Amino acid sequence: MEREVLEVDVLVVGAGPAGLACAIDLARRAKAREQQLSILVLDKAEEIGKHQLSGAVMDPHGILELFPQARAQGFPIQAEVGDDALYWLTEKSQRKLSGLLLPPPFKNHGNWIVSAAEVVQWLAARAEEAGVEVYAGFAAAGMIYDESGAVTGVRTVDQGRDKNGAEKPNFQPGMEIRARLTVLAEGTRGSLTKQLIAKKKLQEGRNPQIWGVGVKEIWELPGAGITGTVWHTGGWPLGKSEYGGGWIYGLPERRVSIGFVVGMDHGNPAFDYHASMQEWKTHPFLANLLRGGKLLRYGAKTVPEGGLHSMPRLWGDGFLIVGDAAGFMNAARLKGLHLALKSGMLAAEAAAGALTGEGCSTEGLARYEALFEASWAHDELWKVRNFRQGFQKGFLTGSFFAGLGVMTGGRLPGGRKPMESDHHRYAKDGGENARAKPRVDNELVFDKLTSVYHSGTVHEEDQPCHLVVLEPDICTSRCTREYGNPCQHFCPAAVYEWEDGKGLTINASNCVHCKTCDIADPYQIINWEVPEGGGPAYSGL
Ligand code: SF4
């Protein structure tokens, strides 16, 4: 097929914090050297920021390194953290830990409450001012390699195919974008990054990556606002083998960002992330805050939790990987935005050297790793490199080793503690461990379709399904018997419906692009591929 070809020096796939930081830093470095460098950033969202979702309490360290005058330049801060606490929930009560009793990872004074969507809109404007081209609505569907196996760019998704793959009258083939350097900044479980990690064996000799699923809502409170408050919760409704907890962040105008994140290594094939979040809201602590208020927005996202030992090799012939796609996330602190920004800056520094010096080969780009190892981002992740592993042995063991790690600055437990992949941990119980789901009351508890409505998600219906089940026979021949078809439970957007006798229905147009299915499927036979366009329309999230 004839494809339009566009050639640039540097292509960044994904206009998130990491990709935009990389583009901005690289453009500045080129300008300082009076070097002509074409830098293009692509994003699959139809408007920049619409696919960005995060808590988000931001450690300002990263943004202040990139923009020391960020505040004066109008960086969008929803609120400065004024009050922080951890609440331990039992079914009907809670115990507050604050002040000296608050574990260090939950201390948030000095941090900023932000909307990830607003942050990247602001960064995209700064990137354009620096001479970077930022294209929204261009989803990268495949990598391009040369005959030696080096990455030479990407192919964007074809537009105008019908659901059977046939060309419609408005068909337009995707473009080939060729670049001297491709920076993968796709975010969590990037679809191209996944292919590249497998093809180049970038995970070899490291722990597998593991993820959590975060389900988030924005509410307007019925009573007074709690602007600047950062509360986290642990305990109920999670059990002893489940790792996770909730957050409540006070925004201006009587709004709150609330969310619940659960590690995907719990082993229960019937676990439902959306239902857990809904149940959490029925706790008196949450219910008293929210009842009578109004649900404004909804979203869901996976979060890489494995830490330093789960990061793949970050560079190779023609490519670098940054941000969530590479696992730059501190699960102990529940923070990744500052690390994503720093990873982008480090990649820019390595790229600037490679583009003017030894070229974008493996050798030329290996400096990225050295720069990372010498950075504060590495110091931070090194101290918590074994934080998450212990929780695979249960909450008490995990808490003990996590506490030991925090107290000793990561010296204990030392070495590299192993980790199991999320999908390897399912019990073969035919899905019998399903918890009763909370009753939908449309006041505090909503069903998945109502939630999806509040995410603003839209997809063209007549297009190829972007959720590709590679071996559909396994769904009926093995999955029902062994695991009870977990996809009907884990998807937080009611995309997968299972009916005995009828089988699997995939409502792809509901998909909020969280990537849970691509990670959580026990047989690893679901491939999340980029759709033609659409997806969630996050704003203020
Ligand atoms: Fe998330 Fe997959 Fe469901 Fe889409 S189909 S919302 S990526 S779990």
Side-chain angles (χ1 to χ4, degrees):
M1 181 182 296
E2 285 277 308
R3 293 183 185 276
E4 196 183 326
V5 176
L6 179 65
E7 297 199 4
V8 294
D9 291 307
V10 179
L11 169 65
V12 180
V13 182
L20 289 166
C22 179
I24 292 167
D25 197 343
L26 194 51
R28 286 178 183 167
R29 288 173 189 275
K31 189 173 176 205
R33 294 179 189 191
E34 298 184 353
Q35 180 192 10
Q36 287 293 326
L37 205 61
S38 51
I39 307 171
L40 173 63
V41 181
L42 299 183
D43 199 85
K44 65 183 172 65
E46 274 154 24
E47 276 178 55
I48 297 297
K50 296 281 183 190
H51 288 183
Q52 294 294 319
L53 180 79
S54 181
V57 171
M58 182 190 214
D59 176 341
H61 203 165
I63 193 70
L64 292 177
E65 194 170 313
L66 189 61
F67 289 96
Q69 305 301 325
R71 300 185 72 122
Q73 289 175 267
F75 183 77
I77 302 171
Q78 294 266 340
E80 292 194 39
V81 178
D83 173 33
D84 50 11
L86 172 66
Y87 287 85
W88 190 259
L89 308 186
T90 56
E91 193 170 349
K92 295 282 176 226
S93 65
Q94 69 276 350
R95 178 181 292 267
K96 181 178 180 181
L97 300 173
S98 61
L100 291 175
L101 294 178
L102 189 62
F106 294 97
K107 292 188 192 295
N108 277 291
H109 280 275
N111 292 330
W112 300 342
I113 302 175
V114 298
S115 146
E118 289 175 4
V119 166
V120 301
Q121 282 160 1
W122 187 87
L123 285 169
R126 303 293 80 74
E128 286 175 336
E129 285 167 10
V132 173
E133 299 274 355
V134 183
Y135 292 179
F138 283 81
M143 305 292 297
I144 307 175
Y145 302 94
D146 69 11
E147 55 293 342
S148 73
V151 171
T152 55
V154 304
R155 176 181 56 75
T156 63
V157 70
D158 293 342
Q159 301 285 329
R161 289 190 186 276
D162 70 15
K163 57 178 185 271
N164 300 314
E167 296 175 11
K168 295 193 279 194
N170 62 343
F171 176 75
Q172 274 202 323
M175 269 192 297
E176 273 189 25
I177 305 181
R178 296 194 189 139
R180 292 165 67 195
L181 171 65
T182 301
V183 180
L184 290 174
E186 296 176 283
T188 180
R189 187 67 155 194
S191 43
L192 299 189
T193 312
K194 174 182 152 184
Q195 290 171 23
L196 189 68
I197 288 173
K199 184 179 170 78
K200 303 280 181 187
K201 300 188 169 52
L202 303 179
Q203 206 71 38
E204 229 169 50
R206 298 154 197 251
N207 283 350
Q209 184 56 273
I210 61 166
W211 283 264
V213 181
V215 178
K216 174 174 179 178
E217 295 177 352
I218 304 269
W219 279 69
E220 185 180 271
L221 296 178
I226 54 168
T227 310
T229 294
V230 169
W231 293 332
H232 289 102
T233 76
W236 192 87
L238 295 182
K240 288 194 178 77
S241 59
E242 294 156 353
Y243 168 85
W247 75 79
I248 301 157
Y249 301 157
L251 307 175
E253 296 160 5
R254 290 179 25 234
R255 289 171 305 132
V256 282
S257 152
I258 61 168
F260 200 70
V261 62
V262 182
M264 293 169 78
D265 52 355
H266 45 72
N268 178 359
F271 195 89
D272 184 326
Y273 301 93
H274 176 273
S276 292
M277 199 271 187
Q278 302 304 312
E279 188 174 15
W280 173 68
K281 287 186 292 175
T282 65
H283 190 279
F285 179 58
L286 272 292
N288 290 338
L289 182 73
L290 300 175
R291 203 179 292 285
K294 188 174 164 200
L295 171 66
L296 301 176
R297 310 290 294 156
Y298 170 83
K301 173 184 189 269
T302 50
V303 188
E305 292 186 343
L308 194 64
H309 290 314
S310 294
M311 292 170 76
R313 177 156 63 81
L314 304 174
W315 82 99
D317 274 338
F319 71 88
L320 296 172
I321 312 176
V322 297
D324 268 4
F328 278 91
M329 162 55 198
N330 183 340
R333 292 183 69 203
L334 314 164
K335 287 185 182 50
L337 286 174
H338 64 303
L339 295 169
L341 291 163
K342 182 64 178 175
S343 74
M345 288 184 263
L346 294 167
E349 189 175 347
L355 287 159
T356 51
E358 53 275 66
C360 295
S361 62
T362 298
E363 295 72 34
L365 294 169
R367 189 156 165 262
Y368 178 34
E369 182 104 351
L371 289 168
F372 171 44
E373 285 179 4
S375 72
W376 56 257
H378 190 275
D379 284 351
E380 180 178 327
L381 290 173
W382 177 256
K383 288 180 185 151
V384 291
R385 65 195 183 284
N386 287 315
F387 169 82
R388 187 61 180 77
Q389 288 89 321
F391 289 98
Q392 292 200 334
K393 295 190 167 30
F395 186 77
L396 287 179
T397 310
S399 302
F400 174 76
F401 284 109
L404 197 62
V406 169
M407 281 190 301
T408 62
R411 280 183 287 278
L412 291 175
R416 168 161 70 93
K417 297 296 165 214
M419 181 110 80
E420 265 189 301
S421 304
D422 296 317
H423 70 274
H424 277 131
R425 291 177 56 82
Y426 287 123
K428 285 190 175 170
D429 68 355
E432 283 174 6
N433 277 330
R435 266 207 294 256
K437 298 190 183 177
R439 189 180 60 79
V440 171
D441 61 8
N442 290 316
E443 192 186 1
L444 284 177
V445 177
F446 300 90
D447 63 20
K448 288 184 182 176
L449 290 180
T450 307
S451 295
V452 172
Y453 169 78
H454 284 89
S455 71
T457 298
V458 177
H459 289 94
E460 161 67 51
E461 297 270 352
D462 190 18
Q463 64 168 307
C465 181
H466 71 280
L467 301 150
V468 179
V469 180
L470 301 172
E471 296 178 63
D473 283 354
I474 288 184
C475 302
T476 40
S477 65
R478 288 180 58 195
C479 194
T480 306
R481 177 169 37 88
E482 293 181 340
Y483 299 111
N485 302 101
C487 58
Q488 63 184 318
H489 305 292
F490 61 56
C491 172
V495 169
Y496 299 93
E497 276 179 336
W498 182 265
E499 226 180 287
D500 290 339
K502 187 172 168 208
L504 184 65
T505 304
I506 301 180
N507 306 304
S509 56
N510 289 352
C511 176
V512 297
H513 296 201
C514 70
K515 314 289 180 70
T516 303
C517 52
D518 193 291
I519 300 163
D521 174 61
Y523 307 96
Q524 297 291 282
I525 54 168
I526 298 179
N527 248 1
W528 190 96
E529 297 183 353
V530 285
E532 276 186 9
Y538 296 145
S539 60
L541 279 150

